[in-house]
Each structure stands twice: as structure tokens, then as C-alpha cells.
Amino acid sequence: MKTFLVALSLAFAGAAAAQQAPQQNAAPTTPEQAQQQRQLTQPGNNAPVWREVQRGTPNYTSLPGREMEVLIQPPARFLGQDVSVTAGEAWRQFRNGPVTFYGGWLVVGVALIILAFYAWKGSLKLKHPPSGRLMRRFTPLEMIVHWTVAISFCVLGISGLIMLFGKHVLLPVMGYTLFSWLTMAAKNLHNFIAPLFIVSVAAMILVYVKDNFPRAYDLRWLANAWAYMARGKHVSSGRFNGGEKVWFWVGVVGLSIAVSWSGVVLLFPNFDQTRAVMQDAWAVHAIAALIYIAISLGHIYLGTIGVAGTYGNMRTGWTDEEWAREHHDIWYEEVKSGRRRPHGGPIPTGAARMRKAP
């Protein structure tokens, strides 16, 4: 009797296994069935699920919104080009590849050229002693606007360089703990100082545009810029020379618009931008910012140690008559003759435009 029961149990088990075998061996028709079958044959292998995720097909989400139902971007277009990998991976390769490599060497290269030039020529000094008579060079409003832009730009530039290059340069030296604190501080400074820069640079354009329209003599200055810097050759210019006007229109106007527009897109992602828009905005922002920083190094050099006396003009608002005559003779003659204010426009009767140096 016992032998009979054992045989009967084995028969039932065989029949059940035979009935389930076709179902297990049947080809899966959905990604879910494929994943279920793979869990039996290859536990832990989630390839079918991730293949479905990378297709970019919408799935269920409890948080409605644009692209919320897509976990990973599918292969698409990045910077106008079709990519074989996901758009997010294409952006990551672009960020860590060309932008980091070429952008880093651009900034380093410009800094090295400036240092080499300074070691070779030093500061450009006046050919004659200062006269001791001062002219109003900048108004208090012009100085406030300029220094607000300058300080906010430096904070944004340094914090941006930390976020882009810090893991390559600072992380090996500082370690993960200190570097994480530094990058978080840089990110918060970058985000909160950016609106101040946008507002102040708009004010700077309005304040300075009247004296930055190109004139015929600016072309002569640009044609002789190297002789001016290397040999101290006198080249006539107005209140701002040709190089300063190029900096104004290319940097203060053009590049400021590029970094501000793209920065607003990145700073306020709650306006329903797609990931592709954010990635393209980052590319514009990073490239324009790196070019901006590289050019600004030349402006900072000429405004501090490159040309003697220039920094004091923006610090105090006054300049020596001899400095004005040697560097901006057209502006100097206009002010001395009374045809214009030192900072633009006609001189009102009885207005003070000169003073003695203390």
C-alpha cells in the first residue's frame, strides 16, 4: 500500500511538471514576461527592463509633468546633431570632453600669455611725469555699476571654474569632504549672485553705451594696438579706446546676453523646459562663459598692472591730466576745451571739471 501511494504521488508530480513546462518554455510576448522568465533562468539580470527604459517610451508616474513619465532620454539630437547614445550621455561626454579640455586650456593659455607679456614688458608707464592736476574720469554712478558687475562677475567666474574643473584640479588635493563643501558653496553663490550680475550688467550697458559707439579713429587704434602695448606708441582715442569698445560690445553686451539667457534657463527649470533644452542651454552657457573669462583676463590685466594709473581711475573716479593726454588725447582735448563733460555731454556753465591732486 505504501509503495502504491509513493508511485501515485510521483505520477501526479510528473503530470504537473509536464503541464507547466510549455508555459515556462513559451516565448515571452511583453517586456514584463521577458523579465519574469529571465528571473528564473538568470536571476539578477534586468536587461529587458533597461532596454525598455532606454527606448524612452512613456510609462506610469504619479507626478504629472513634461517628460516625467520618461526615466532615461532615448537617443535623440544634441546641439542639433543626431547621437547614437542617449542624449544625456552625449551631453556628459561633451561636458567632460571638449568643453573641459579645450575650455580649460583656453583659460590657462590666456593667463600664461599675459604673465609672459608682463614679465617681458612690465607695466606701460607715462612718458612724462604726472601733472598734479586731476580730471573727473568716472562718476560715482559709473563706478558703482562697474564694481557691482566686476565683483559679481569674478564670483560667478571662480565658482563656475570650481564646478567645472574642481574634480580634476582640487579634489585630488583637498579630498572629498572639503571639496564637497567647497562645491556646494560655489553652487549656491553662483545661483544667488547670478540675478545681481544680470541686473547690474544691464545697467552697465545703459550707463556706458553713449561713449562706446565706434568712431573712425578706433580703427587706427586697433591697427596699432600691438605697437601701443609693446612699444608704448601713442595712438589717439576718445574716452574709451578701440580695444575697450571691442570689450564692451563683444563681452559686456554679446557674451553677457549669452550667459544671462542660458543661465536663466538653467536657474529656473520650473518653466517646463525639456531636458534637451536644458542640455543645449548648458552648452551655450559654458562655452560663452569660458570665452568671457578668457577675454576678461586681458581686461583685468590692462585695468590693473598692465597700464600704470588705470586702476586708480576706477577706484577714485579721477585721473591725472598727463595720463588722460597720453592715453585718451581726443577725450582730453574735448574736456579741456569745454566741448563736453569728462563723462559725456556738454559742460554746464560754472561746473567743476578739474582739481588739484591731494
Side-chain angles (χ1 to χ4, degrees):
M1 184 65 180
K2 183 177 180 180
T3 304
F4 173 75
L5 292 176
V6 171
L8 186 61
S9 300
L10 291 174
F12 276 113
Q19 184 178 4
Q20 294 177 0
Q23 296 178 358
Q24 295 177 354
N25 295 331
T29 58
T30 65
E32 291 78 7
Q33 291 178 351
Q35 178 63 18
Q36 292 173 0
Q37 186 180 80
R38 188 174 292 273
Q39 288 298 320
L40 297 175
T41 58
Q42 301 180 30
N45 190 329
N46 299 323
V49 171
W50 287 108
R51 276 197 296 268
E52 183 69 15
V53 167
Q54 292 175 353
R55 287 174 56 188
T57 54
N59 290 281
Y60 170 77
T61 178
S62 59
L63 299 174
R66 197 173 187 182
E67 292 190 320
M68 292 292 289
E69 73 279 2
V70 178
L71 185 61
I72 294 180
Q73 287 177 284
R77 296 177 68 82
F78 175 67
L79 293 179
Q81 300 294 322
D82 292 324
V83 294
S84 57
V85 297
T86 64
E89 176 63 15
W91 170 82
R92 190 188 71 84
Q93 293 176 1
F94 182 71
R95 178 195 188 279
N96 295 334
V99 173
T100 300
F101 181 79
Y102 293 111
W105 279 113
L106 172 65
V107 174
V108 172
V110 170
L112 292 176
I113 291 172
I114 291 173
L115 289 174
F117 185 84
Y118 180 73
W120 173 44
K121 297 300 296 185
S123 296
L124 181 62
K125 296 180 172 58
L126 294 177
K127 295 181 178 179
H128 301 91
S131 66
R133 297 182 301 275
L134 301 181
M135 301 173 60
R136 170 63 79 176
R137 177 73 172 147
F138 298 107
T139 67
L141 174 63
E142 289 173 332
M143 290 188 290
I144 291 172
V145 170
H146 175 272
W147 284 115
T148 304
V149 172
I151 294 171
S152 60
F153 177 85
C154 289
V155 173
L156 292 173
I158 293 171
S159 59
L161 292 175
I162 289 173
M163 289 186 285
L164 184 58
F165 301 106
K167 68 179 181 180
H168 304 290
V169 179
L170 299 177
L171 178 59
V173 178
M174 303 177 63
Y176 285 96
T177 301
L178 290 177
F179 180 69
S180 66
W181 292 347
L182 178 63
T183 50
M184 286 302 296
K187 181 182 77 70
N188 288 318
L189 278 173
H190 204 86
N191 292 343
F192 285 100
I193 295 297
L196 174 63
F197 171 78
I198 294 173
V199 173
S200 59
V201 81
M204 188 176 192
I205 292 172
L206 293 176
V207 169
Y208 283 91
V209 68
K210 64 181 181 298
D211 291 313
N212 277 283
F213 290 110
R215 302 291 182 88
Y217 50 73
D218 294 324
L219 295 177
R220 292 194 298 272
W221 192 97
L222 292 172
N224 292 276
W226 176 253
Y228 168 76
M229 289 300 304
R231 301 197 301 271
K233 177 183 177 181
H234 173 77
V235 186
S236 294
S237 67
R239 189 186 183 201
F240 300 115
N241 60 44
E244 290 171 316
K245 291 181 179 180
V246 170
W247 161 249
F248 178 83
W249 291 107
V250 174
V252 177
V253 177
L255 291 173
S256 291
I257 291 173
V259 297
S260 298
W261 167 81
S262 56
V264 168
V265 173
L266 296 171
L267 193 60
F268 300 101
N270 49 312
F271 289 106
D272 215 22
Q273 300 99 311
T274 64
R275 278 171 279 191
V277 169
M278 297 284 282
Q279 289 157 354
D280 290 347
W282 182 92
V284 172
H285 191 76
I287 293 171
L290 287 167
I291 296 173
Y292 207 166
I293 292 170
I295 300 175
S296 73
L297 294 178
H299 176 72
I300 294 171
Y301 167 73
L302 294 174
T304 52
I305 61 175
V307 179
T310 304
Y311 172 73
N313 297 344
M314 184 55 72
R315 185 174 61 84
T316 66
W318 294 84
T319 189
D320 190 86
E321 282 192 17
E322 184 60 29
W323 188 96
R325 190 185 65 81
E326 291 191 18
H327 294 296
H328 299 273
D329 59 323
I330 296 176
W331 171 74
Y332 169 79
E333 294 295 339
E334 289 176 343
V335 174
K336 290 287 287 185
S337 64
R339 295 196 303 272
R340 60 170 288 164
R341 295 174 184 266
H343 50 85
I347 296 258
T349 303
R353 60 181 184 274
M354 307 290 176
R355 76 179 190 184
K356 291 184 178 181

